[in-house]
Amino acid sequence: MTTPDRTMKQPEDLSTIELPLDAAQAKKRGRPPKDDKLSDAERARRYRARQKMLPKGAWNYDQVTALARAEIERLVHGAPARPSGEAELVAQWAYGMFLLWDRVTAQRQQAADRAALLALVSG
């Protein structure tokens, strides 16, 4: 009786394949370039500005209303001095701010606040 051959099977080809390295197509190390072409300093400045705008705790109706009023006043300030196209765009931004305030405070609005903000936007 013969014993079966228990040798390991070898792969057909033991050689390695080496591809030529094209220096022009080799990936560069480091962070890939951003699409917006901002410098790192400008990106960091914008990040810090966004962090300052984040709420620190719970907001209440009075704070939201005061911030909305301040932003609308900032937007409509000096509107007559602007060119007509820019003035119209900024007026739309102000109205958008009013709509945001209107949506956020829908359950707690006071009629006087709504009328005052609407007058700022309309005037």
Side-chain angles (χ1 to χ4, degrees):
M1 192 158 104
T2 62
T3 60
D5 190 14
R6 296 191 180 242
T7 60
M8 293 180 62
K9 290 186 176 182
Q10 297 294 323
E12 296 292 322
D13 186 12
L14 295 177
S15 64
T16 58
I17 299 172
E18 292 187 20
L19 299 175
L21 180 61
D22 185 10
Q25 292 183 356
K27 289 188 177 181
K28 293 182 179 179
R29 292 184 171 198
R31 189 178 72 202
K34 301 285 183 183
D35 292 334
D36 54 11
K37 305 287 185 205
L38 292 176
S39 68
D40 288 341
E42 178 64 16
R43 191 170 282 108
R45 188 194 66 74
R46 289 183 181 192
Y47 174 78
R48 286 191 305 273
R50 281 194 310 273
Q51 293 302 311
K52 285 181 184 176
M53 292 179 357
L54 290 176
K56 306 284 191 278
W59 287 64
N60 62 28
Y61 172 80
D62 293 330
Q63 290 172 324
V64 171
T65 302
L67 285 172
R69 176 171 290 139
E71 184 63 17
I72 290 171
E73 287 173 349
R74 185 188 71 79
L75 288 170
V76 299
H77 179 71
R82 293 186 174 119
S84 63
E86 183 181 338
E88 182 180 342
L89 180 64
V90 172
Q92 290 174 359
W93 290 347
Y95 187 67
M97 188 68 196
F98 168 76
L99 291 176
L100 177 64
W101 173 85
D102 192 47
R103 179 63 63 100
V104 168
T105 62
Q107 301 300 319
R108 302 192 183 268
Q109 280 182 10
Q110 297 172 5
D113 289 336
R114 189 173 197 284
L117 288 177
L118 194 55
L120 278 174
V121 171
S122 302

